[in-house]
Amino acid sequence: MKEKYYISTAIAYTSGKPHIGNSYEIVLADAIARFKRLQGYDVYFQTGTDEHGEKIEIKANEAGVSPKKFVDDRASEIKDIWDILNTSYDKFVRTTDEAHEKVVQHIFKYMYDKGDIYKSEYKGMYCTPCESFWTESQLVDGKCPDCGRDVLEKCEEAYFFKLSKYQNQLEKYIESHPEFIQPVARKNEMLNNFIKPGLQDLCVSRTSFKWGIPVDFDSKHVVYVWLDALTNYITNIGYDVLKESDEFKYKWPADLHLVGKDIIRFHTIYWPCFLMSLDLPLPKQVFGHPWVIMSDGKMSKSKGNVVYADDLVKEFGVDAVRYYFLHEIPFASDGVFTRDLLIERINGDLANILGNLVQRTISMGNKYFDGKVSNKKVNELLDEEFLNSINSLKAKVTNKMDKLQVADAIGEIFNLLRASNKYIDETTPWVLAKDDALHDRLETVIYNLVESIRVCAVFLEPFMPETSSKILEQINNSDKTFSFVDDSKYELGKPSALFMRIEINK
């Protein structure tokens, strides 16, 4: 049997259209999921939308529609963008799904009966955009510490989850499982800035708005955001406190929750404590990825610098956009988006290093051998180094992907593509073609190049799936072997440009 691998993104909030910072997360998760499938794992990849809350109720009223109509439209828009980016999720979940809502009610009641949820009164400063309560001491210059916006003083009856009850258990778990929170800087931040200073019990219901899952034993209350949103990771794979399904037993715990660094606190403090209350194992790893920012800072509508992924795809193509996201955003620090750099990457990396290599090689195979290329095994000393670089690619890419260093994994593939271009310069096929005595040597060189291209195309599939398919189609070989195959019989197709150079002045 294949080994299972469960990966999730955070579910996107349906207050508006997702910008490229939100879209980066789904592309990153997709690359990881596709790579795991390439390795032979039984992958389950879940994403979706978070659809309840006061902010949704307010926006729906402003738009003159019901909250359900509002979130239906936003969820459809988000799903369309995820599809435009060619992401291979297995399930797109919504927190307004009836099955999810029912299980959330069961979870709330179970925690209440266990004594982990109790009723009290909340007094504090509330940020509507973040849907978060804060104490005075947590505010920064009197404003929300997360988004910097104004807060309002609120007082209302609410149910609370005993977060404080699980503080010691959570602290010990994180310290004894160093892989649980990544990167390491995020783990240190959670421990030192949030957990060790002391956890406050968490507000998990509201009475001041109605757009939420009702607390079925207290009709004044609706379940508040995080207990509703975070539980999507288990409610959609067959979990219920009444009965755990075989699907849940197989898929849980998740292998990786991929979330933005701004919400890692909720996924590494609130979520583990909820799971401890339910006596469930914790996810194996939570990775807080960096942000995509603009050259003038964070994206915001007030700055007028918001960029949307579907617009970029229409202009530059899906794989060019995927490549930029995955190659340019570092492992642990924010990445900057500029159109100029995107165009530079298309021209330099995609059109020149990759596209030119494929087109030149296939053209030479067609010109010198009518497209029929086999391995005559007339190798020289420089071939040994080249073939070793082909055969070592699997270990290099796997090593980087195991550490979630996706940009570095792509870098390893492009190192081999550069080596392939260098190999052409060193072997000079156009010179070999002038001497009939070197015919078998020439065919060996072309064969080595085509095999290098095939192996690179196989490893490019998680990152640029359309481009990978086009390459394999042009060389007319769908073999997914990860290393050099020395006895293939190629009948090459016609070469066509994978990426067109963009004239910046136009």
Side-chain angles (χ1 to χ4, degrees):
M1 288 182 64
K2 292 181 178 180
E3 186 178 349
K4 72 93 186 171
Y5 187 86
Y6 172 9
I7 179 174
S8 73
T9 68
I11 47 177
Y13 199 46
T14 47
S15 57
K17 182 177 179 178
H19 55 61
I20 58 170
N22 311 121
S23 303
Y24 163 65
E25 182 176 303
I26 187 74
V27 173
L28 181 63
D30 181 61
I32 296 167
R34 285 178 182 270
F35 184 75
K36 287 295 182 182
R37 291 192 193 103
L38 194 63
Q39 289 181 301
Y41 283 83
D42 179 18
V43 172
Y44 175 70
F45 173 18
Q46 180 175 296
T47 187
T49 44
D50 177 8
E51 303 184 14
H52 292 124
E54 184 176 18
K55 183 159 58 172
I56 299 294
E57 192 171 83
I58 292 170
K59 283 185 171 285
N61 288 335
E62 290 172 350
V65 296
S66 69
K68 186 64 168 67
K69 174 69 168 72
F70 184 86
V71 297
D72 283 348
D73 291 345
R74 296 289 78 74
S76 177
E77 181 178 52
I78 291 166
K79 188 174 185 294
D80 284 346
I81 293 174
W82 285 188
D83 292 341
I84 287 167
L85 288 166
N86 195 10
T87 57
S88 60
Y89 55 84
D90 296 289
K91 192 169 187 178
F92 187 96
V93 305
R94 299 179 58 184
T95 56
T96 52
D97 290 339
E98 184 179 349
H100 170 78
E101 293 187 342
K102 183 181 295 185
V103 178
V104 169
Q105 288 178 322
H106 295 167
I107 289 171
F108 195 100
K109 183 66 162 56
Y110 174 88
M111 291 176 172
Y112 178 77
D113 290 343
K114 187 177 181 179
D116 283 354
I117 287 178
Y118 62 93
K119 186 189 285 189
S120 186
E121 184 179 73
Y122 198 95
K123 291 181 181 178
M125 310 308 291
Y126 181 70
C127 175
T128 302
C130 292
E131 300 202 76
S132 295
F133 283 105
W134 305 100
T135 63
E136 289 279 1
S137 62
Q138 290 173 315
L139 301 180
V140 177
D141 297 326
K143 297 181 184 295
C144 173
D146 273 357
C147 71
R149 294 183 177 94
D150 291 332
V151 292
L152 300 171
E153 187 171 5
K154 288 203 173 188
C155 176
E156 62 181 272
E157 181 183 271
Y159 284 94
F160 288 80
F161 176 80
K162 290 182 179 178
L163 209 62
S164 55
K165 173 181 173 182
Y166 294 98
Q167 173 167 340
N168 290 338
Q169 187 178 343
L170 177 62
E171 193 173 322
K172 288 176 182 176
Y173 184 88
I174 293 172
E175 289 178 334
S176 62
H177 294 77
E179 75 290 345
F180 176 55
I181 304 175
Q182 290 293 318
V184 174
R186 309 259 190 268
K187 181 193 83 169
N188 295 336
E189 179 188 7
M190 292 305 105
L191 274 174
N192 299 326
N193 295 3
F194 293 98
I195 299 173
K196 289 185 177 181
L199 294 178
Q200 304 295 314
D201 288 351
L202 181 67
C203 176
V204 291
S205 80
R206 299 289 303 281
T207 59
S208 56
F209 62 90
K210 292 298 181 186
W211 182 240
I213 300 172
V215 175
D216 54 0
F217 59 88
D218 193 337
S219 59
K220 287 194 304 179
H221 292 256
V222 294
V223 179
Y224 184 43
V225 57
W226 292 109
L227 191 57
D228 170 11
L230 290 165
T231 52
N232 91 89
Y233 302 123
I234 56 176
T235 63
N236 286 283
I237 57 169
Y239 176 78
D240 196 330
V241 294
L242 305 179
K243 180 177 173 58
E244 292 180 5
S245 69
D246 289 338
E247 179 191 12
F248 177 76
K249 292 173 184 175
Y250 172 64
K251 288 178 177 172
W252 192 257
D255 293 87
L256 177 63
H257 288 324
L258 192 68
V259 303
K261 65 179 182 178
D262 52 329
I263 58 170
I264 195 168
R265 179 169 85 253
F266 310 113
H267 285 80
T268 58
I269 299 177
Y270 300 174
W271 181 224
C273 292
F274 292 161
L275 291 168
M276 289 171 181
S277 177
L278 295 170
D279 297 314
L280 294 177
L282 273 54
K284 295 179 183 178
Q285 189 170 77
V286 181
F287 181 81
H289 66 75
W291 287 337
V292 180
I293 60 175
M294 307 301 285
S295 56
D296 57 351
K298 281 184 69 176
M299 274 176 275
S300 71
K301 290 182 179 178
S302 61
K303 286 183 179 179
N305 66 350
V306 179
V307 178
Y308 298 106
D310 54 331
D311 293 333
L312 291 178
V313 169
K314 287 174 188 173
E315 187 172 2
F316 298 108
V318 62
D319 275 5
V321 173
R322 285 175 63 103
Y323 177 79
Y324 185 92
F325 283 163
L326 297 171
H327 183 265
E328 292 302 314
I329 313 304
F331 169 68
S333 57
D334 296 340
V336 177
F337 173 83
T338 70
R339 287 175 59 85
D340 287 347
L341 186 53
L342 171 57
I343 292 170
E344 183 181 320
R345 287 289 173 239
I346 293 171
N347 288 344
D349 296 358
L350 302 182
N352 187 24
I353 296 172
L354 173 60
N356 191 39
L357 169 68
V358 173
Q359 193 158 16
R360 286 173 75 193
T361 301
I362 296 174
S363 295
M364 288 189 293
N366 283 320
K367 180 179 179 180
Y368 301 136
F369 303 102
D370 294 326
K372 295 179 174 60
V373 180
S374 60
N375 189 5
K376 294 298 189 287
K377 301 181 182 178
V378 182
N379 290 300
E380 296 182 358
L381 191 59
L382 65 86
D383 296 356
E384 185 176 342
E385 181 182 353
F386 184 52
L387 299 187
N388 285 340
S389 65
I390 296 171
N391 289 325
S392 65
L393 185 62
K394 177 186 176 183
K396 290 175 180 177
V397 173
T398 302
N399 176 263
K400 299 300 184 186
M401 291 299 289
D402 285 349
K403 299 174 184 176
L404 304 182
Q405 295 173 350
V406 175
D408 292 339
I410 295 175
E412 295 291 354
I413 300 168
F414 271 77
N415 285 342
L416 179 54
L417 293 170
R418 289 185 184 91
S420 301
N421 280 310
K422 182 183 177 186
Y423 181 74
I424 293 176
D425 295 337
E426 291 176 336
T427 55
T428 59
W430 53 91
V431 175
L432 298 175
K434 294 176 182 178
D435 188 342
D436 288 343
L438 298 174
H439 184 273
D440 285 355
R441 171 60 184 156
L442 173 60
E443 191 168 356
T444 301
V445 167
I446 301 301
Y447 182 91
N448 292 346
L449 283 165
V450 176
E451 264 298 287
S452 172
I453 288 169
R454 182 193 63 79
V455 171
C456 286
V458 170
F459 282 104
L460 281 173
E461 193 277 334
F463 316 108
M464 297 190 290
E466 284 189 2
T467 302
S468 173
S469 294
K470 287 177 182 177
I471 295 170
L472 294 175
E473 184 179 344
Q474 287 187 35
I475 65 174
N476 197 22
N477 189 334
S478 59
D479 184 358
K480 296 294 182 72
T481 305
F482 296 141
S483 56
F484 187 90
V485 176
D486 66 4
D487 58 354
S488 292
K489 306 287 185 183
Y490 278 100
E491 293 188 17
L492 303 174
K494 292 183 179 180
S496 61
L498 297 173
F499 296 91
M500 301 299 295
R501 286 185 59 83
I502 299 169
E503 298 298 330
I504 296 175
N505 60 351
K506 293 181 182 180

